[in-house]
Amino acid sequence: MPVTDSCPPPPHPKGYDRYDAVTYTPYPSNIPLARRHVAQLAVSWDYSGAAGDAALLASELCTNAVLHGCVRGRLFRVETSLTGNALRVAVTDPRGERLPDPRTSGPDDQFGRGLLIVRTLAHRWAVEKLTVGKSVWAELDMPGDADAAPTGVSPYPWRQGQRGDGRPG
């Protein structure tokens, strides 16, 4: 069966300082490729301090897309965008009827912690239903511009023991 792009990338959205979209076949081997790509984008966009968190968000969202949101022969898309104040990772898959469902995992459960990781790392996350499929996105707050986040310095205060929302890290 040929692979079709069920979620063609939109034109470069207005309002973003930087934007990138890549489609992948729904195989687990593509999750680390997407993770590395998102991390490399964060570094090339002068936010290397956010690269690890952005990569982890991409990994969790892509894993959910591959495990729960993909249909044979359909691709999933990873969009990474930057505005003056947020780095967003969005993963679009063709199964709009299967929405993310955060749950509590037991100590012996192998799965079920991905959305907990997303909720912990991201400042915001949500699901957008599309005509075909859905897009799950997560955002990391960034300083006002790239010059405010020198390469190698984390823009996240909780990395030094304090979360961005004032709660202890």
Side-chain angles (χ1 to χ4, degrees):
M1 171 181 260
V3 174
T4 61
D5 191 354
S6 65
C7 45
H12 187 294
K14 294 180 181 173
Y16 291 119
D17 298 329
R18 307 279 180 122
Y19 177 82
D20 180 83
V22 180
T23 55
Y24 297 93
T25 53
Y27 298 114
S29 60
N30 283 324
I31 296 168
L33 296 177
R35 180 177 57 235
R36 282 191 296 271
H37 183 71
V38 168
Q40 290 169 347
L41 287 172
V43 170
S44 71
W45 294 347
D46 293 326
Y47 287 103
S48 61
D53 287 348
L56 185 53
L57 289 172
S59 182
E60 294 302 330
L61 296 177
C62 288
T63 298
N64 283 348
V66 169
L67 291 177
H68 308 295
C70 286
V71 176
R72 185 175 176 192
R74 300 285 183 93
L75 304 175
F76 71 95
R77 181 177 61 242
V78 179
E79 295 175 81
T80 310
S81 57
L82 179 68
T83 63
N85 61 357
L87 177 69
R88 176 184 282 206
V89 177
V91 177
T92 302
D93 66 60
R95 294 200 60 193
E97 74 279 8
R98 301 224 31 208
L99 299 177
D101 183 23
R103 61 182 178 163
T104 304
S105 298
D108 295 328
D109 291 339
Q110 183 177 1
F111 297 101
R113 293 175 184 84
L115 289 176
L116 175 62
I117 292 169
V118 170
R119 288 187 340 215
T120 300
L121 285 179
H123 289 96
R124 288 163 301 287
W125 76 279
V127 180
E128 294 177 12
K129 290 184 177 185
L130 306 172
T131 303
V132 175
K134 67 180 173 299
S135 182
V136 182
W137 57 265
E139 288 184 344
L140 299 169
D141 286 341
M142 299 287 111
D145 57 37
D147 296 332
T151 302
V153 176
S154 174
Y156 305 111
W158 66 86
R159 293 288 180 225
Q160 289 80 38
Q162 186 70 24
R163 287 183 48 91
D165 59 7
R167 294 182 293 174

